[in-house]
Amino acid sequence: MAEKTEDETVTGTTTATAVDPDAQTAERSEDAAAGSEDIAAEAHADPAETPSGTGQGAAAVVSAALGLVSLTGGWPGTVAAARETLVGQLRTAADASVATQIKEVYGDAWDTTALCGGLFALVALITGVVVLVRPAFGAPGRIAQAPWIKSVAWAGVTLGAIGLMLAVLTYTGVLLGLPSAS
């Protein structure tokens, strides 16, 4: 069913025209779709202008995970320690003193475990610090770092610092040193 509207011309006379309601609906939906496309195009125009923080969030999580691995040990540290134990057994003669056997078989493996933990801790510490200082080197007016990213990065820095301290203390023999053979 057509709806009648009146159009006024410059001369002041009016004429009746028929308007199809389906045509009006189609015209409105086309305008709405065009408006939605414009909004979507503006939102995705330049990804560099609207950072999501995904990279910083991922780096913060990696930092915390590496800090945790530095404290608990990991597969690389276990494999390296087992290798050092084997090498120590091969190098040690059967008639070597007990002190030499302890040093070669257990001491080097212990130091290797501490060294691997220290490397994981150092990487965790550096990664966490980079995530925390990254906003200072960004463009002015950029979106601030999400609070959860800061929290996780601080966790990575803390775990990395604790892991590095424990690794140094273990490597130097201050913490859990090897027993003496005397």
Side-chain angles (χ1 to χ4, degrees):
M1 184 166 155
E3 182 179 313
K4 291 189 177 182
T5 61
E6 294 183 4
D7 291 333
E8 196 170 315
T9 60
V10 178
T11 62
T13 61
T14 58
T15 58
T17 57
V19 178
D20 186 14
D22 293 335
Q24 285 180 342
T25 305
E27 191 175 303
R28 285 187 202 131
S29 62
E30 286 175 5
D31 291 342
S36 298
E37 289 173 2
D38 292 342
I39 292 171
E42 289 174 7
H44 300 292
D46 189 6
E49 290 180 10
T50 56
S52 65
T54 305
Q56 291 180 18
V61 170
V62 166
S63 173
L66 288 173
L68 189 62
V69 169
S70 75
L71 293 175
T72 62
W75 179 79
T78 303
V79 170
R83 182 185 183 285
E84 282 299 317
T85 300
L86 180 62
V87 169
Q89 289 172 349
L90 293 174
R91 284 187 189 160
T92 306
D95 60 343
S97 70
V98 173
T100 303
Q101 288 179 358
I102 290 174
K103 165 84 173 81
E104 290 296 322
V105 176
Y106 301 106
D108 291 344
W110 190 248
D111 290 345
T112 302
T113 301
L115 185 62
C116 285
L119 289 175
F120 276 105
L122 185 62
V123 172
L125 187 63
I126 290 170
T127 305
V129 167
V130 167
V131 169
L132 289 172
V133 300
R134 170 65 179 98
F137 297 106
R142 284 205 148 175
I143 297 173
Q145 205 173 39
W148 73 267
I149 294 175
K150 289 180 183 178
S151 298
V152 175
W154 274 113
V157 168
T158 304
L159 290 171
I162 293 170
L164 191 59
M165 181 181 64
L166 290 175
V168 168
L169 292 173
T170 302
Y171 189 82
T172 58
V174 173
L175 180 68
L176 300 172
L178 288 173
S180 64
S182 1

